[in-house]
Amino acid sequence: MTQLADKPTAKELDSSQLIGLLRQMMLIRRFEEKAAEMYAKQRIAGFLHLYNGEEAVAVGAISALNSDDHIFTHYRDHGHALARGIEPRRIMAELFGRETGVSRGKGGSMHLFDVERSFMGGYAIVGGHLPLACGMALANQRLGNGRIVLCIFGDGAVNEGEFHESLNLAAVWKLPVLFLCENNFYGMGTDIRRVSAVIEIYKRAAAYAMPAEQVDGMNVLEMYQAVQRVAQGVRAGNGPAFLEAICFRFRGHSMADPEFYRRKEETERWRELDPITTFHRKLEQDGVIDEPAFQSLQAEIEEIVNEAVQFAAESPEPPPEALYDDVYAQERD
Amino acid sequence: MAEIAFREALRQTMREALLADDRVVMIGEDIGAYGGSYAVTKGLLEEFGPERIMDSPISESVVVGCGIGAAMGGLRPMIELMTINFSLLAFDQIVNNAAKLSYMSGGQISVPMIIRMASGAGSQLAAQHSHSLEGWYAHIPGIKVAVPYSPRDARGLLRTAFSEPNPVIFIEHTALYARKGEVPDGDYTIPFGQAEVLREGSDVTLIGYSGSVHQASQAAELLAESGCHAELLNLRTLRPLDVEAIITSVRKTHRAVVVEDDWKFGGFAGEIAAIIMEGAFDNLDAPVARVCGADVPIPYAKALEQAALPSAQQIADAALELM
Ligand SMILES: Cc1ncc(C[n+]2csc(CCOP(=O)(O)OP(=O)(O)O)c2C)c(N)n1
Ligand SMILES: [Mg+2]
């Protein structure tokens, strides 16, 4: 089950792997655009937090892991779930609140779970899942199964007590967990500079003697490379590590956000660094992908996303009897 | 059958669980080298080593969350939170994670873990160390709440907790730790959701759990002296709650006094009163009475503290008023 061979370095990735990275980012972007459309049509309700602009973080990081490494993430979780390879149709169905959704319609956008794919969930209490990642890492350490835990959270989480408790515990117990902070500079409408004494977040890990780096989260290869390298040390038993991915969300915090707190120009500047266009351009220049190949990629993704919507729309809602299912687990092994 | 202390019954049961299943690990503040703040885990570190008996930092939230994650990952953790007062720092983990994961994940995840904590007042520890908040935990679907009274309960319920696929909040009233009682050994278990009739009677039902069963049982003695035959119910778990046992008893006695150390306002005793009203309204000869802690933070001074807690006399008086 465990793949012991290390992942290739970014330099060693072949053309199809590089195109794979581009494809995943494009899929996330298109999926999110479609989700926004479905939200506007009131097919999706509740809170909907889109990942547009941050695709390189999820795709770079998760591609650099083994497929059975565990992932814990926050409520902005569609990108991570897609990057882990969960079927878009089952994610869309969850957004639609359908029985066929990954969490059987009980979780919604913020709580995607796919335990079979070691995707241990999206969590909506800021900072609340960091302790869980530590526990899963403890179990991995005890079972000696060679799996590590990727724990993803935002810049907003680093001022929660649980952030500090978790980093400390992971460090003293040398837990195999890789903390990945998506620093998009805002927690809802609050600019990090207004609420964080230290805004270079990776520096905080020094308080727990934890190796930490800042990475360009708009660059999928840099993300991939950083995680590939750092994961080796975590897997080898050197203890936890910390990465801060510098990124930006192109849209509001959630669909309800009119973005009064920041200027359009700021978003425009970041859009020039769009992780998908820049990577596409690079692959073109390097002769990895040509225009026809790119267009067929686009068409393929369009079809996947449309099919996902159709699947979700045609799926049944959870039956009323499901209301009381799974409050408690029935069996213990 | 041996006569042992409540604390010893817990320790023996834990030891057996550690021996039976090497996925069982214990995590908590001062459970190892110190031996446990109430000496419940004494000797376990020496026997099982630091990989099984893990002294943690003073970080309740990550300790509980780590237990949840470890349970998800295949271990069978038992967390000791020292006392219920400190569990408030882990309340988010218990309420938002432990209690929700099975449901939110559509049944993909289960959280087989035990969270032990000491509870109750009576040792002049003042307001911040004297809470009885078991009713708060009982309020939450997704977790189970065990409230043992006797050493026998301690063993039987803890053994059941070790076979549970769900998070169990295991409450230990500090006044009970040293109390001795007969405890069956071997495979003895007490299923969750089964109250115990500690004393049969026909005139009034006294309902208590955890430490308050002690005062209620003294009250039953006092009542017997005045010719009133009280039935005494020890709830043993608050969630699941043995509603049937409560209703059956009240149908017989037509009167009930609910006893609880916790505050009366918005508390669990009110829930029991409502359940009786829903299930045995026509059988009641008097309104359900509640004898609970005074509506104040628990004071330090001895006489004041005692005045803030339910006493046997108060319970007996409340029962006689229903006659
Ligand atoms: C404990 C807690 N407090 C407040 C909130 C409300 N809230 C939801 S998301 C959010 C901002 C979090 O920002 P960040 O961690 O930077 O993640 P981002 O949304 O930028 O990806 C807040 C305050 C919450 N969900 N949980
Ligand atoms: Mg942010």
Side-chain angles (χ1 to χ4, degrees), chain A residues 102-104 106 113-115 123 125 128 131-132 135-136 142-143 162 165 169 323 325-326 328-329 331-333, chain B residues 23 51 57 59 61-62 66 69-70 73 76 92-93 97 101-104 108 142-143 162 164-166 239:
Chain A
V102 276
S103 309
R104 296 199 189 169
K106 294 264 184 72
F113 287 85
D114 189 347
V115 171
Y123 295 81
I125 303 297
L132 271 52
M136 181 61 76
R142 278 307 142 75
L143 302 173
E162 281 167 323
E165 292 190 16
L169 192 81
L323 180 62
D325 288 348
D326 300 319
Y328 292 98
E331 268 163 56
R332 163 159 168 154
D333 59 45
Chain B
R23 297 172 306 171
E51 298 237 306
S59 306
S61 188
V62 76
C66 179
R76 296 295 173 259
D92 168 55
Q93 286 299 329
N97 286 336
L101 276 164
S102 172
Y103 197 79
M104 267 183 357
Q108 294 178 75
I143 56 179
F162 272 115
E164 254 294 328
N166 294 292
R239 184 185 270 274

Side-chain angles (χ1 to χ4, degrees), chain B residues 186-217:
Chain B
D187 278 350
Y188 180 72
T189 57
I190 299 173
F192 285 179
Q194 261 185 32
E196 177 189 29
V197 180
L198 267 178
R199 176 185 183 121
E200 298 216 25
S202 50
D203 298 331
V204 60
T205 303
L206 307 183
I207 301 167
Y209 63 86
S210 187
S212 65
V213 178
H214 179 62
Q215 282 77 30
S217 117

Side-chain angles (χ1 to χ4, degrees), chain A residues 49 54 74-76 124-127 153-158 160 182 184-188 249 253:
Chain A
H49 309 91
E54 306 184 43
H74 54 163
Y75 49 86
R76 196 180 299 286
I125 303 297
V126 170
F153 49 90
D155 49 281
V158 307
E160 288 283 5
E182 297 179 329
N184 59 17
F185 300 98
Y186 290 89
M188 287 185 66
R249 64 169 155 72
H253 168 72

Side-chain angles (χ1 to χ4, degrees), chain A residues 211-233:
Chain A
E213 299 170 35
Q214 204 173 55
V215 199
D216 179 1
M218 305 302 275
N219 183 323
V220 70
L221 287 181
E222 292 207 9
M223 273 312 302
Y224 178 93
Q225 190 47 45
V227 172
Q228 188 266 357
R229 180 167 34 81
V230 168
Q232 284 180 19

Side-chain angles (χ1 to χ4, degrees), chain B:
Chain B
M1 192 154 358
E3 170 123 336
I4 55 172
F6 186 96
R7 131 183 327 113
E8 182 59 18
L10 292 172
R11 203 190 62 83
Q12 282 181 11
T13 309
M14 288 178 202
R15 185 172 171 273
E16 287 166 19
L18 285 157
L19 286 170
D21 186 349
D22 52 16
R23 297 172 306 171
V24 173
V25 295
M26 296 188 183
I27 309 173
E29 295 157 18
D30 281 314
I31 62 169
Y34 186 89
S37 6
Y38 292 93
V40 177
T41 52
K42 200 163 171 218
L44 295 181
L45 173 66
E46 290 73 10
E47 185 173 359
F48 295 97
E51 298 237 306
R52 308 286 303 281
I53 311 299
M54 305 182 72
D55 276 323
S56 78
I58 307 169
S59 306
E60 288 74 15
S61 188
V62 76
V63 166
V64 170
C66 179
I68 298 168
M72 292 164 79
L75 300 184
R76 296 295 173 259
M78 168 184 269
I79 306 300
E80 180 179 304
L81 273 184
M82 267 192 193
T83 82
I84 201 166
N85 308 286
F86 318 139
S87 80
L88 300 188
L89 284 95
F91 206 55
D92 168 55
Q93 286 299 329
I94 296 170
V95 178
N96 271 313
N97 286 336
K100 301 289 190 289
L101 276 164
S102 172
Y103 197 79
M104 267 183 357
S105 68
Q108 294 178 75
I109 290 174
S110 64
V111 183
M113 78 185 298
I114 303 171
I115 308 174
R116 293 178 39 244
M117 52 186 89
S119 178
S123 313
Q124 287 191 267
L125 298 180
Q128 295 185 331
H129 279 74
S130 302
H131 284 106
S132 306
L133 300 172
E134 27 285 347
W136 286 13
Y137 289 110
H139 184 58
I140 300 159
I143 56 179
K144 300 197 174 179
V145 182
V147 282
Y149 161 62
S150 63
R152 175 194 291 259
D153 288 351
R155 175 171 176 76
L157 294 172
L158 191 57
R159 278 178 53 91
T160 300
F162 272 115
S163 65
E164 254 294 328
N166 294 292
V168 176
I169 306 290
F170 200 89
I171 309 271
E172 302 158 13
H173 195 295
T174 53
L176 300 175
Y177 278 130
R179 292 176 55 90
K180 289 192 169 175
E182 288 200 332
V183 178
D185 22 50
D187 278 350
Y188 180 72
T189 57
I190 299 173
F192 285 179
Q194 261 185 32
E196 177 189 29
V197 180
L198 267 178
R199 176 185 183 121
E200 298 216 25
S202 50
D203 298 331
V204 60
T205 303
L206 307 183
I207 301 167
Y209 63 86
S210 187
S212 65
V213 178
H214 179 62
Q215 282 77 30
S217 117
Q218 288 179 326
E221 298 287 339
L222 292 175
L223 287 167
E225 286 165 21
S226 10
C228 171
H229 302 290
E231 179 143 304
L232 176 58
L233 218 54
N234 166 23
L235 293 176
R236 298 206 288 207
T237 53
L238 298 186
R239 184 185 270 274
L241 181 68
D242 192 347
V243 172
E244 200 185 314
I246 296 171
I247 298 300
T248 305
S249 179
V250 173
R251 288 210 172 121
K252 180 169 88 174
T253 63
H254 308 287
R255 294 173 185 86
V257 180
V258 190
V259 186
E260 177 171 57
D261 287 358
D262 196 5
W263 298 298
K264 182 192 277 186
F265 189 89
F268 196 76
E271 179 62 31
I272 297 177
I275 283 171
I276 293 172
M277 193 181 71
E278 287 164 351
F281 185 74
D282 292 337
N283 305 88
L284 284 174
D285 285 348
V288 177
R290 289 179 286 167
V291 180
C292 302
D295 206 16
V296 297
I298 298 290
Y300 165 72
K302 191 177 175 102
L304 286 183
E305 182 184 37
Q306 287 308 312
L309 298 171
S311 70
Q313 192 60 56
Q314 277 176 314
I315 301 164
D317 290 347
L320 290 174
E321 266 188 39
L322 304 181
M323 299 301 155

Side-chain angles (χ1 to χ4, degrees), chain A residues 11-83:
Chain A
K11 282 211 177 76
E12 289 162 357
L13 293 174
D14 63 26
S15 303
S16 76
Q17 288 167 321
L18 292 169
I19 293 173
L21 297 178
L22 178 65
R23 182 185 176 282
Q24 286 194 59
M25 290 198 291
M26 289 167 62
L27 174 63
I28 295 172
R29 178 70 58 89
R30 195 65 198 113
F31 184 96
E32 295 295 60
E33 285 167 354
K34 192 56 100 178
E37 201 182 308
M38 292 300 122
Y39 187 88
K41 288 189 175 157
Q42 301 186 342
R43 309 300 296 269
I44 297 173
F47 287 144
L48 182 68
H49 309 91
L50 302 180
Y51 199 60
N52 303 41
E54 306 184 43
E55 295 88 349
V57 182
V59 171
I62 293 168
S63 305
L65 297 178
N66 291 338
S67 60
D68 64 352
D69 286 333
H70 295 104
I71 297 172
F72 285 82
T73 185
H74 54 163
Y75 49 86
R76 196 180 299 286
D77 57 354
H78 311 168
H80 310 122
L82 288 165

